[in-house]
Amino acid sequence: MRIVGKRFFLLLVVSILSVNLIFCSKKEEKTVKKDVVQKVKEKKQEKNTSAKSEEEKPSEEEMTYGIGINKKFTTDGKLHEEKLLNKNFGYPDTADSFKIEKDSEGYFITEYIDESPILGEDVPVKEKKSRLKLENNVYLIDDSGLAYAYDTNLKKVVLLNKENNFRIIFIINE
């Protein structure tokens, strides 16, 4: 009987150890699965973040002129010459300004460029004239694709990004 009791005891100990090993390995599998799921989630988030950053990359126009407020432009389908023509407007964040005029050939812009802050000395203000193209009877577009128009909602002259569906870059104050 003693041999049978020892064998039984030994069998019981081996069984308990086996059950513990199986239980621990299942617990470890769950932990491994959780880690894998977490890593997959992190990869998806990284992929989504990189996709968003690709979408948010600025167009060439935005890099040239700044992203600005990026609001939707509102129009009634008219140019509103009385709001645009023969007035001096200042470009935002610079000492430069512009004036839009009309002659027998169409619309043109005179830009007054002050290079004094850049050069660190007083220099005369440069005048640069260029033609504007009227598009859709609403937008006056220069050679670089920058559009000038009157926003009927804001009741202000605005600079628009033609490359970004005419979204507002800057609101111009007189």
Side-chain angles (χ1 to χ4, degrees):
M1 219 46 156
R2 281 188 137 177
I3 293 178
V4 174
K6 284 185 178 181
R7 283 186 184 172
F8 179 73
F9 179 74
L10 189 58
L11 186 60
L12 182 65
V13 169
V14 170
S15 298
I16 291 172
L17 287 175
S18 297
V19 168
N20 280 336
L21 285 174
I22 291 170
F23 179 73
C24 287
S25 69
K26 284 187 179 182
K27 197 173 190 181
E28 196 172 297
E29 281 179 21
K30 286 181 181 178
T31 306
V32 169
K33 284 181 183 177
K34 283 182 183 177
D35 289 344
V36 169
V37 168
Q38 182 65 29
K39 286 181 182 179
V40 168
K41 285 181 181 177
E42 287 172 3
K43 292 261 186 192
K44 281 185 179 179
Q45 286 176 338
E46 286 175 19
K47 195 173 182 180
N48 289 341
T49 303
S50 66
K52 283 181 184 176
S53 65
E54 287 292 322
E55 291 171 2
E56 293 171 356
K57 281 188 178 178
S59 70
E60 192 171 317
E61 289 297 311
E62 289 171 336
M63 290 188 294
T64 304
Y65 299 109
I67 294 172
I69 59 174
N70 201 29
K71 287 187 177 181
K72 188 176 179 181
F73 173 69
T74 307
T75 183
D76 59 3
K78 298 176 187 173
L79 180 61
H80 293 277
E81 283 187 349
E82 73 281 1
K83 304 290 185 183
L84 290 165
L85 296 183
N86 304 318
K87 296 181 182 180
N88 284 319
F89 297 100
Y91 284 112
D93 303 328
T94 69
D96 302 342
S97 60
F98 67 93
K99 185 178 191 177
I100 299 173
E101 299 173 281
K102 185 178 182 180
D103 63 10
S104 60
E105 295 177 33
Y107 299 95
F108 67 96
I109 187 168
T110 305
E111 295 179 277
Y112 303 98
I113 303 164
D114 184 5
E115 294 179 336
S116 296
I118 297 168
L119 299 175
E121 59 185 73
D122 282 341
V123 293
V125 174
K126 288 185 181 179
E127 285 187 24
K128 178 185 165 191
K129 292 187 179 199
S130 59
R131 286 281 161 200
L132 297 172
K133 179 184 167 191
L134 179 62
E135 193 169 304
N136 297 336
N137 203 30
V138 174
Y139 313 104
L140 292 173
I141 302 174
D142 69 12
D143 295 334
S144 67
L146 185 62
Y148 300 82
Y150 180 75
D151 188 288
T152 55
N153 189 34
L154 298 171
K155 298 189 183 334
K156 299 236 181 214
V157 174
V158 293
L159 298 181
L160 305 168
N161 183 349
K162 182 179 178 180
E163 300 296 319
N164 191 11
N165 296 321
F166 293 102
R167 301 289 287 186
I168 296 174
I169 299 173
F170 294 113
I171 299 170
I172 303 296
N173 293 315
E174 285 186 56

